[in-house]
Amino acid sequence: RTIGDRIGEAKASGNLGNTLKILGQFDEAVVCCQRHLDISQEQGDKVGEARALYNIGNVYHAKGKHLSWNMAQDPGSLPQEVKETLQKASEYYERNLSLVKELGDRAAQGRAYGNLGNTQYLLGNFSEAIAFHKERLAIAKEFGDKAAERRAYSNLGNAHIFLGRFDISADYYKKTLQLSRQLKDQAVEAQACYSLGNTCTLLQDYERAIEYHLKHLVIAQELGDR
C-alpha cells in the first residue's frame, strides 16, 4: 500500500484470505478475498479476478463443510444456513468457470468443475453433480492427471448411489480401485474397497461384498488404522 502497488496489495489480500480460511475464520477470509477481487477488477487483471472468485468459492465451500460436519446428515438434507453458504460457493465457482473459459485455462476449468460437482453433491443436486464431475473427468484425462481422474470416478460413484444406480456406482468404484492401485495409494484403495463392499451389499451380491470388505480390513490392519 505504501508504494502504491495495487496488484501486490491484491495478491497479499488473497493470501491473507486463504490463510484465514485455513484457520477457520471464514467471515474475515471473505473480506480479504473480496478485496483481492475488487482490486483485480479495478486493475483489469483477469487472471487475478479469476483466482479471487475461485478463492471466495473455496471459503464458502469450506464454511459450508465446516457447518455441516457438526450435523451428520445425508447430502441434501441441510439446514438453511448451510444451504445458503454452499449456494454462494457454487455461484462463485460458476463465475470463476466462465472467466477461466474466456481465458482458455483448461486446468482451472477442471478445478472449477470438480468443486462445482462437490458443492452440488452436498446440496443434494446429484444429477448436476454428475454432469460437473464428468466434465472434471474429461479434463483430468486430457492432462493425464491420474489423481484427479481417480477423485472424479470416486465422486461419480458417490453421486450415483443417491440416485439408486448402484450398478453404475460399482463400475465407477472399480475404476477408482484400479487407479488407486496404479497410484500405489493404499488408503484410497481401502476406501474404494469399502465403497464397493457397501455397493455390492445394496446390489445384494453378498459374496462379493464380503470379499471387498475383507480387502478393506487387510489394508486397514496393514496401515495400523484403528
Side-chain angles (χ1 to χ4, degrees):
R1 278 182 182 157
T2 311
I3 61 171
D5 175 0
R6 295 293 278 167
I7 299 277
E9 185 184 340
K11 283 180 183 164
S13 300
N15 289 337
L16 264 173
N18 291 339
T19 310
L20 287 162
K21 177 196 79 180
I22 294 164
L23 291 169
Q25 296 172 24
F26 302 115
D27 298 338
E28 294 94 322
V30 169
V31 173
C32 292
C33 291
Q34 185 64 48
R35 181 141 190 79
H36 184 192
L37 179 62
D38 293 341
I39 298 173
S40 299
Q41 285 173 330
E42 164 210 302
Q43 296 291 313
D45 173 9
K46 291 281 191 193
V47 174
E49 184 182 343
R51 199 162 289 151
L53 289 166
Y54 182 72
N55 288 343
I56 298 173
N58 283 345
V59 175
Y60 282 119
H61 194 177
K63 184 182 178 179
K65 279 200 288 196
H66 178 77
L67 290 170
S68 61
W69 276 336
N70 311 327
M71 318 152 191
Q73 275 126 331
D74 278 338
S77 58
L78 296 167
Q80 197 51 36
E81 187 194 358
V82 180
K83 256 189 196 150
E84 282 167 11
T85 305
L86 290 168
Q87 265 151 359
K88 274 187 186 162
S90 218
E91 283 160 28
Y92 280 100
Y93 287 141
E94 290 274 13
R95 285 172 64 186
N96 165 263
L97 180 61
S98 66
L99 192 49
V100 294
K101 276 183 176 169
E102 202 184 299
L103 294 167
D105 185 342
R106 285 294 279 167
Q109 287 168 46
R111 289 192 291 275
Y113 280 126
N115 283 329
L116 277 163
N118 291 335
T119 46
Q120 290 304 312
Y121 173 81
L122 290 172
L123 285 163
N125 304 329
F126 303 114
S127 299
E128 288 89 333
I130 286 165
F132 286 128
H133 284 309
K134 280 185 173 166
E135 294 282 358
R136 177 67 193 110
L137 179 62
I139 294 173
K141 283 180 171 172
E142 216 174 279
F143 280 89
D145 183 343
K146 294 287 182 194
E149 190 182 335
R150 198 274 308 152
R151 287 195 301 274
Y153 284 135
S154 189
N155 289 328
L156 283 162
N158 295 344
H160 278 94
I161 289 281
F162 282 95
L163 293 175
R165 299 180 190 150
F166 306 135
D167 46 344
I168 299 174
S169 284
D171 289 340
Y172 281 124
Y173 289 141
K174 279 174 192 161
K175 288 180 168 147
T176 306
L177 182 57
Q178 235 173 334
L179 275 176
S180 65
R181 284 174 178 160
Q182 267 181 42
L183 294 163
K184 298 190 170 35
D185 187 335
Q186 277 200 299
V188 173
E189 185 183 339
Q191 186 62 51
C193 290
Y194 174 80
S195 299
L196 274 163
N198 289 340
T199 310
C200 288
T201 301
L202 292 168
L203 288 164
Q204 299 182 336
D205 184 350
Y206 303 115
E207 292 297 319
R208 276 316 254 305
I210 290 168
E211 275 173 41
Y212 283 121
H213 284 309
L214 281 170
K215 281 180 186 162
H216 175 213
L217 178 62
V218 169
I219 297 173
Q221 286 170 336
E222 268 177 35
L223 296 174
D225 182 341
R226 305 280 291 171

